Each structure stands twice: as C-alpha cells, then as structure tokens.
Amino acid sequence: MIKSNDVMAYGALGVLGILGPILFPDYTLSIAYLWMMVLMACTWDTLGGQMGYNSLGNITFFGVGMYVSAIVQISFFYDGGVGEYTSAMGSIKPEFTDSEYFLGLFWGILAASVAGLVLSVLFSSFMFGLRGPYFAIGSLGLAIAAAELTITIDYVGGASGISMPLFPGDIEFRSTFFYMLCFGAAVIAHFLLRWLYSTQFGLAINAIRDDEDKAEAMGIPTLVYKRIGWGIAAFFMGGIGAIAGNMAGFIDKEVAYPVPTFGIFMVAMVLLGGKGTLWGPVLGAIIFHVIKETTWTYLLNLQWVALGLILIVNIVYFQQGIMGWLQAKFPERFGIVVDPSTTQVGSRQGGDGQ
Amino acid sequence: MSDPIINVENVSKSYGGVHANVDITMQVERGSITGIIGPNGCGKTTLFNSIVGYHPIDQGSIQFDGQEISKLRVGDIARLGMLRTFQQTRIYSKMDCVDNMQISVSHRPDSKSSIFASRKGEIRDRAEHLLEFVGLYSKRNLISGDLSFGQQKLLELAMALMNEPKALLLDEPTAGINPTLINGLIDRLRRANEELGITLCVIEHNMRVIMNLASHIYCLSNGHMLADGKPAELQNDQRVIDAYLGGH
C-alpha cells in the first residue's frame, strides 16, 4: 500500500483508538475487544496468511497464557498459592493492595507471553513436520487437548475455574485500564509485524508459502523461520490471553479456550480482510467486529446466521479478501506495474518469452 | 590437473524395481560447464536429485568440494553452495520479481544475510542488476506468477545466480524457451560461468545448445553411464548415436 494511505489509516485508527472510549464510554470494553481481535487477526496472519500454515490452534497460547497469568498473579501475593485459592471455590477473597495487583498483573502478562513462546517452541519441534490440512487439524487438536487437560488439573481449579483478583478501582477506571492494555498490545503487535514484513524475514515466510520445497532447495533454513513466526504469534496470544482473563474476571475452560468463537473468528477476520497483507487482518477484524456487535444487538437469535452468511459470501465471491481484491483490481496502486522507463535491448529480449 | 568440484562415485538408485541409476561415476571439474544428455527416462533428473540430496541414494559416494554429501539433506547441501533449478520451473509465484530475487541471497554461514536484514541497499541493487542481466528489469515489480513461462525460467536462473553458488545444476534450462531467446540464454550461462566463476552442470536435450556450451559431456542410457568425452568425441561415438542421437 502506498505511503499516504498508510498515514491516513494510522490517523483514522489513532483517532478511533484514543477518542473512541472518550466519546463512547459505554462501549469502552467493546472497543477493547475490537483491538484484541485486531491483534489476534494480525498474529494469526503471520503464519496463516504470510507463511501459508493455517493454524487453528493459536487459541491454545491464549488459554495457556490466561491460566499462567492467573497462577502468577495469585501465587505472587497470596501465601496459600493457587491450589488453596482455587480449592476454596471462591470463598477466599484475598485483598491485594493496588501495587500488588498491578505488579502481579505486569508479571502475569509477561509470564503468559513467555509461556506462549515456550509452548510454541515445544510444538514446533513436532508440528512443522505437518503441512496443509494436516497442520491445520493437528494444531486444532492441540487447542482441544490443552482445554481438556486444563480441566483435569485441580491445582488450577479443574472444571470450576478461577476467580481472578479483583481490580482495585471503580468500573470506569477498570474499563479504561484494560482498554489501554488491549489497544497498546495491538499497536505493538502491528508495528512489530510491519517492521518484520519489511525485512528478509517477511520474504522468507512468503517464500515458504509459495513453494516450501523450492525455498528449502535455495538453502533457506525454513524451520528457523517457521519457529520464529509461530513464536511471535504465540507470544502475543499468551499476553492477550492474560489481559482477556483479567477483563473477564473469571476464567475456566470456556473462557480460556474459545475454539469455536475466537479460534475461528481470527481466521474468518483475516480471510475477510485479505490474508497475507499488512492491512487485511486489521480491516477484516474491524469490519467483522462491527458486524458482530451490530447483529448481536439488532438481530438477536439470527446473529450466527448473519455471520455465517458473511463468511459464505466472503469465501465464494472474495476469496482474496478485501485487500486482495483491491490489489487484483487496482494493481498499479500497489506498484505492480511494468517499468516504462526501461527500453534496453536486454529488457525487451526477456519480454519476448513465450 | 583434475580438480572436481562434484565427484560422483558408483552411485545407484532404484525406485522399487526400476533401476534409475546404476553404478554411475562422473566428475564435474571446478569452473567448467559439464553437460548430461540421454533419452527421456534414462535417469538424468534422478542423478540430479541424488546429488542435491532430494532422496537418499542406495549406494555410492557423492562429494562436493571435497566433502561427502550423500547423507546430507537438500537445505544443508544448498548452504554448502550447490543449487539446482527445476525442469518444471519453480519460483515464488505470488511475490514480485524483486522479492523473488532478494530472498534468493545466499544462506551460507559465511554470507552476510541475516534474518532481520533490511531489504534495501546492496541486496536490492544486486537483485535489480541481475534482473537486468536476464532481461527482466522492466518487469521487476510484476507478480512473478503472471510472467510467461520463458520469463519465469529466466527469473529462476537469475534467482540461482543471486545466491552466488559455487556450483549450479540446471535441469533443461532451454526447454520451452523460444529459439531467439535461447541464444541469449546460452550467452548468459556462459557469462555466469566465466564472469561469476560458477561451475555449471547442465541437463539438456537441445544438442545445438549443449554441444556449444559444455566442455565435457556425459551420456546416460537406461540408468547406466554410456559414454563421456568432449562434445566432438560424443557426436561421433557410435553408442551415443545408437542410443540417443539417431543415425542421421
């Protein structure tokens, strides 16, 4: 995309990001979820769009991150640890001071991100032997297995979940605080990926997408790139999981591993906006979220039908998504042009190929 | 005087009951252009695949630059400095030509490329220079999959040169390229050999091309090494004429 469009997009998103919760305070948490979905879409696209590995299991890192942060936040300042806390089934409500809460949250988010990263490295050691649909289903299996495993662990409350520490502040401040976290995380993720895609890393994962065997034959250390790509996604998914858990206030299997909702949404958003593009996931997430919230409000009971319909139209008529469609329609605006200034003999010779 | 960069000794490879390569021995001299000819299905591409590590060989030894490589895998061999192009052209079809070139830089340990290196500057200059070398400069911003077949073939060659390999194995580089372009391609291959110092090993069916290009030619037939020698010697070798060139 050309530069001036980028500036306009950042301007518009910046205004929405900063003024949104000020102008529409009732929707602060809803817009926070919007940024969370932007982050999910962008990080899913690293593997799914840019590298061509459709992971249906990124939600695993989200859930694991959520639980890891809960363990860290509670164990840090409650002597009994998570085990005692959870076995009391919510009857223990330890009072955290403000600084304890925020320090715990900080370490919780950090630990959750690192946990996601470590887990992805572990998964990488066997998952990247799989390609195409096998990788997709295999990664989905990871998410389901992680969810089922979690409820067998009594230490983290088993099936009855964990009540997260209470936020020390009023409800408006709570919303604004988590809003800022979500917005900040999405901004960091976007700019990190934007930079990454401008380096050799971006080209390498595109090459893996287009022809992995060729990339291998050209000496590209494909496994290294695949690990880094998934690691980045896992790092952010772990962190946002920690934030989401605290926003929800109570976590269990359903909150931590929303495979049929967020797990699928993140794929749908990228397909809608245009996979393998910088702006596609952002655009897709915004449109998807707005439609989702609107239909939830005005078409209650039919919201899933509406979402399904959008998916079908997207898949059948706009497989490349909005950005992909724009690129096919207006290639010159994306710099895909024959350079008219070159008329050397050599150039023409190449142009005469069959 | 013999200084082979690729040394194949007694290599055999079977697929089930098909003996694709039987006891093949050949050398590619450093800095030379070596040709491989033979009828369809005689085992030329199998031999290429064995050399670059696409499949394990049944027996024998393959050395590259003095190092045994018959147990190494494709990526490892490529990072030693030996690349191959494909009979069915393979490029990164959804990326533009410049991007195809830029990601084809060497990934050898001694190369300066790094995972998070910027794509501007020296790498881009060299990419554009090589695109000009193969005559694709004006199309550098087009998506490579939209190029014609012949142009894709030239792009694949340029990508291989971008990597600055020590040796390059070309599988039918002129197949599907129109006759006027073939001369240009021969010229470019020769220049890559002379100016960039890249050893070439070429599978080719076009006799005019290979006889002009190669200094030494091996002829395979039914998985066996039938004969080898200078182009003129091979052209007059009765076995080669019977098996491949035909009696006229």
Side-chain angles (χ1 to χ4, degrees), chain A residues 63-113:
Chain A
V64 170
M66 197 178 276
Y67 270 95
V68 165
S69 91
I71 294 168
V72 169
Q73 283 172 259
I74 293 162
S75 308
F76 244 50
F77 299 108
Y78 179 63
D79 292 338
V82 183
E84 189 179 312
Y85 180 85
T86 49
S87 63
M89 304 283 247
S91 63
I92 298 176
K93 280 273 175 248
E95 291 286 321
F96 292 120
T97 65
D98 290 7
S99 65
E100 277 178 348
Y101 179 85
F102 288 113
L103 200 61
L105 183 63
F106 171 78
W107 286 113
I109 294 171
L110 194 68
S113 305

Side-chain angles (χ1 to χ4, degrees), chain A residues 46-60:
Chain A
T46 305
L47 240 65
Q50 300 277 353
M51 209 176 84
Y53 272 71
N54 297 310
S55 164
L56 296 177
N58 280 14
I59 207 73
T60 317

Side-chain angles (χ1 to χ4, degrees), chain B residues 22-210:
Chain B
V22 181
D23 206 22
I24 300 288
T25 295
M26 66 172 282
Q27 281 84 36
V28 176
E29 289 296 309
R30 192 183 301 275
S32 72
I33 302 180
T34 301
I36 300 178
I37 60 173
N40 290 323
C42 72
K44 303 185 296 294
T45 299
T46 299
L47 182 58
F48 260 29
N49 286 339
S50 298
I51 293 174
V52 299
Y54 250 72
H55 49 221
I57 55 174
D58 298 339
Q59 59 183 45
S61 155
I62 303 170
Q63 285 143 21
F64 174 69
D65 218 2
Q67 184 181 345
E68 180 66 36
I69 58 167
S70 56
K71 296 279 189 291
L72 297 183
R73 306 190 65 162
V74 173
D76 300 321
I77 293 172
R79 285 187 286 277
L80 288 175
M82 177 157 60
L83 291 190
R84 64 92 59 90
T85 64
F86 293 85
Q87 198 172 352
Q88 305 295 329
T89 305
R90 292 175 88 156
I91 51 171
Y92 308 123
S93 59
K94 293 200 180 69
M95 298 161 69
D96 69 33
C97 295
V98 174
D99 286 351
N100 264 275
M101 294 296 291
Q102 295 199 94
I103 192 52
S104 299
V105 292
S106 168
H107 298 275
R108 297 202 287 276
D110 60 330
S111 67
K112 280 182 241 137
S113 82
S114 98
I115 290 176
F116 302 119
S118 154
R119 282 154 32 188
K120 298 210 166 56
E122 190 262 343
I123 294 179
R124 191 176 173 106
D125 289 348
R126 208 150 53 79
E128 293 189 345
H129 177 78
L130 278 167
L131 281 172
E132 201 176 329
F133 180 74
V134 296
L136 287 174
Y137 182 74
S138 65
K139 311 215 165 180
R140 66 190 181 282
N141 294 325
L142 298 188
I143 302 298
S144 65
D146 295 339
L147 297 177
S148 74
F149 177 75
Q151 290 168 338
Q152 293 187 8
K153 211 132 195 175
L154 289 167
L155 177 62
E156 193 186 28
L157 172 66
M159 287 160 69
L161 298 179
M162 184 78 187
N163 196 281
E164 299 180 317
K166 296 177 194 167
L168 177 57
L169 279 55
L170 300 156
D171 200 344
E172 299 196 32
T174 69
I177 296 205
N178 78 45
T180 49
L181 200 54
I182 286 181
N183 288 334
L185 187 69
I186 295 175
D187 176 52
R188 282 169 187 128
L189 288 177
R190 198 173 275 134
R191 277 172 60 195
N193 176 249
E194 287 166 6
E195 294 169 19
L196 306 175
I198 300 171
T199 305
L200 299 179
C201 181
V202 187
I203 291 178
E204 188 54 71
H205 278 303
N206 185 327
M207 282 306 115
R208 186 176 66 81
V209 170
I210 199 69

